[in-house]
């Protein structure tokens, strides 16, 4: 009885294992191929920008291509050098002239740009490539001048790009400060979600001076009143801006601020004092390409209108491909098999010794020989294209799993049969 129980249990376990392996094998067979990195992708990069100081803008252009027969979902990447940080839109499309997207690109904060091919390459697998353009910022202090080499990484390939560097000032470099009233504005973050402005003016010339600055940003941005920074002082740094020690406590500013307008005023500033005002304006409408910020500067009642405009920097590019030619079938050269004659020969009675009439029909060739000839005829279709790059996983291990499952099922059945026979013998 105990042996019968063991045989029955073993057969049940084997059957369950076989079922599980069968389901697993079917699942693996149904698993789609995974996207692959494209080792043969190529990107060439160039720039005409020159840098003078940290955070200068560097505009770059590129040409890209991938091997023929790359697949939708396959990717290739571009890593910025440590000297640059991505600046502007972090996603963009590479479209052809009719607006079809050939590839998409996504840049992360670490400067890695990943390009992904779309379904377009399934129908246009040849000569896939195009151009791209994007903007970066020089994230470190530049060298002494001349040129510096930036190393971009495309997969495992290094692309070296020279960039001109304007060295620091060495002659007549004492900062004189602004010579006129003005305003400047720039993006304060790589994602371009907020802008920063500076109002500047020459040093005070009168014995005592009253100054009033107003800032009224246009639609698409609003003033952050917690980041309005007035600044007063006698010293300037190498960039011509007010530097420490500041005189803010000695000559405090009066600030009246709302998201649409800020007014900052000083009274009784002495001759030789420099005045600046920094204003941060977060973007409220990210769909705009251009942002405008206007204001006024009044010194001793003389008012000047100032303004600044900043454009959004956008990455973009193009792409295209060529459809694979349709193979032209070659007519078969196999000799057709003539149908055997069904006519019944008619004999003519004769009193003389009959002379057999030779048959004029051509003997029918063997149909087996015709099949063999046809089988050996080379195909007229074009040879299958060779896929370059890393092959994707296709789940080809599925049939092996099914064979194992079938074996386990057979073992389980034999064990069940043996258990049943042993039970019958014991019952007799």
């Amino acid at each position: 009885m105990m042996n019968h129980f063991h045989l029955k249990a073993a057969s049940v376990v084997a059957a369950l294992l076989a079922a599980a392996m069968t389901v697993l094998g079917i699942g693996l067979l149904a698993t789609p191929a995974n996207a692959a990195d494209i080792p043969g992708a190529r990107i060439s990069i160039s720039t005409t920008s020159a840098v003078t100081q940290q955070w200068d803008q560097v505009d770059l252009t590129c040409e890209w291509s991938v091997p023929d027969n790359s697949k939708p979902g396959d990717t290739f990447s571009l890593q910025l050098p440590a000297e640059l940080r991505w600046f502007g839109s972090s996603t963009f499309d590479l479209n052809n002239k009719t607006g079809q997207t050939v590839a998409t690109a996504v840049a992360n904060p670490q400067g890695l740009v990943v390009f992904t091919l779309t379904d377009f390459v399934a129908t246009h697998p040849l000569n896939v490539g195009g151009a791209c353009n994007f903007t970066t910022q020089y994230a470190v202090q530049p060298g002494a001048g001349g040129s510096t080499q930036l190393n971009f990484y495309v997969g495992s390939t290094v692309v070296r790009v020279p960039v001109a560097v304007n060295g620091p000032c060495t002659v007549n470099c004492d900062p004189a400060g602004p010579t006129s009233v003005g305003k400047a504005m720039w993006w304060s973050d790589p994602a371009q979600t907020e802008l920063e402005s500076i109002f500047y003016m020459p040093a005070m010339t009168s014995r005592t001076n009253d100054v009033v600055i107003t800032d009224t940003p246009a639609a698409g941005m609003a003033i952050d009143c917690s980041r309005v920074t007035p600044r007063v002082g006698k010293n300037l740094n190498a960039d011509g801006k007010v530097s420490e020690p500041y005189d803010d406590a000695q000559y405090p500013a009066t600030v009246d601020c709302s998201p649409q307008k800020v007014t900052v005023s000083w009274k009784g500033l002495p001759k030789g004092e420099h005045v600046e005002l920094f204003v941060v304006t977060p973007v409220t409408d990210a769909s705009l390409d251009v942002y405008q910020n206007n204001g006024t500067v009044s010194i001793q009642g003389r008012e000047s209108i100032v303004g600044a405009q900043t454009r959004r920097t956008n990455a973009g590019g193009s792409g295209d491909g060529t459809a694979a030619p349709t193979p032209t079938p070659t007519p078969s050269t196999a000799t057709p098999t003539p149908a055997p004659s069904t006519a019944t020969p008619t004999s003519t009675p004769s009193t003389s010794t009959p002379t057999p009439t030779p048959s004029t029909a051509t003997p029918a060739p063997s149909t087996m020989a015709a099949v063999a000839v046809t089988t050996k005829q080379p195909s007229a279709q074009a040879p299958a294209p060779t896929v370059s790059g890393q092959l994707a996983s296709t789940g080809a291990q599925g049939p092996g799993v099914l064979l194992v499952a079938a074996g386990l099922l057979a073992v389980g059945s034999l064990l069940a049969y043996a258990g049943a026979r042993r039970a019958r013998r014991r019952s007799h």
Side-chain angles (χ1 to χ4, degrees):
M1 179 64 71
M2 186 61 67
N3 289 336
H4 169 66
F5 175 78
H6 288 322
L7 285 171
K8 185 175 181 181
S11 65
V12 170
V13 170
L16 289 175
L17 284 173
M21 295 292 284
T22 302
V23 171
L24 178 62
I26 294 173
L28 289 173
L29 280 174
T31 301
N34 297 320
D37 289 332
I38 307 174
R42 296 179 179 274
I43 302 180
S44 61
I45 306 168
S46 61
T47 182
T48 58
S49 298
V51 297
T52 301
Q53 58 188 352
Q54 188 179 21
W55 307 125
D56 277 354
Q57 184 171 310
V58 179
D59 298 318
L60 298 124
T61 58
C62 83
E63 300 288 335
W64 66 274
S65 65
V66 296
D68 288 349
N69 300 300
S70 296
K71 304 299 181 184
D74 286 355
T75 62
F76 59 98
S77 62
L78 169 67
Q79 175 64 57
L80 300 186
E83 293 88 347
L84 301 180
R85 74 172 181 180
W86 188 263
F87 188 60
S89 176
S90 59
T91 62
F92 58 97
D93 294 336
L94 307 173
N95 298 333
N96 67 5
K97 293 181 179 178
T98 62
Q100 294 175 290
T101 300
V102 180
T104 60
V106 178
N108 68 14
Q110 290 72 44
L112 178 66
V113 190
V114 177
F115 298 82
T116 304
L117 301 180
T118 68
D119 291 339
F120 176 87
V121 302
T123 54
H124 300 75
L126 308 179
N127 306 312
V128 177
C132 66
N133 59 86
F134 54 94
T135 300
T136 64
Q137 285 182 312
Y138 204 78
V140 298
Q141 289 291 346
S147 178
T148 188
Q149 180 175 276
L150 302 179
N151 293 330
F152 295 79
Y153 292 88
V154 180
S156 59
T157 303
V158 179
V159 180
R160 296 176 172 85
V161 180
V163 175
V165 176
N166 299 324
C169 180
T170 57
V171 179
N172 299 323
C173 300
D174 291 336
T179 58
S180 61
V181 173
K183 174 180 171 63
M185 185 168 64
W186 61 92
W187 293 106
S188 60
D189 66 325
Q192 299 182 0
T193 63
E194 62 182 25
L195 293 132
E196 187 170 1
S197 301
I198 180 175
F199 290 81
Y200 53 84
M201 63 200 74
M204 301 296 102
T205 58
S206 300
R207 185 178 62 84
T208 181
N209 303 267
D210 294 342
V211 177
V212 180
I213 299 176
T214 63
D215 186 26
T216 52
M221 52 184 173
I223 297 171
D224 182 351
C225 292
S226 67
R227 291 189 285 175
V228 173
T229 308
R231 190 153 288 164
V232 177
K234 294 184 177 67
N235 301 313
L236 300 178
N237 61 21
D239 298 326
K241 294 184 173 61
V242 178
S243 63
E244 296 180 306
Y246 303 127
D247 294 336
D248 298 343
Q250 188 175 354
Y251 304 103
T254 300
V255 180
D256 181 15
C257 185
S258 71
Q260 288 74 42
K261 182 179 180 179
V262 61
T263 302
V264 181
S265 58
W266 294 262
K267 287 189 177 296
L269 292 174
K271 182 179 180 178
E273 286 288 338
H274 295 271
V275 177
E276 291 173 345
L277 176 65
F278 293 89
V279 180
V280 176
T281 50
V283 170
T284 58
D285 184 358
S287 67
L288 301 180
D289 290 328
V290 180
Y291 295 85
Q292 182 74 32
N293 197 335
N294 301 315
T296 61
V297 176
S298 175
I299 304 174
Q300 286 297 91
R302 295 185 62 181
E303 186 174 270
S304 301
I305 298 175
V306 296
Q309 185 183 87
T310 300
R311 304 186 69 88
R312 184 180 293 279
T313 62
N314 288 316
S318 63
D320 214 337
T322 304
T326 303
T328 303
T330 302
S332 174
T333 57
T335 303
T337 303
S341 174
T342 57
T344 304
T346 304
S347 59
T348 302
S350 174
T351 56
S352 61
T353 304
T355 302
T357 302
S359 173
T360 59
T362 302
S366 168
T367 56
M368 288 300 292
V371 170
V373 169
T374 302
T375 303
K376 293 179 181 179
Q377 180 67 25
S379 172
Q381 294 184 349
T386 301
V387 179
S388 301
Q390 178 180 344
L391 295 178
S393 172
T394 60
Q397 65 273 30
V401 174
L402 291 177
L403 289 174
V404 174
L408 286 173
L409 191 59
V411 171
S413 300
L414 289 174
L415 290 172
Y417 176 74
R421 291 196 61 182
R422 189 179 184 88
R424 283 198 300 270
R425 288 174 182 173
R426 287 181 175 273
S427 64
H428 292 299

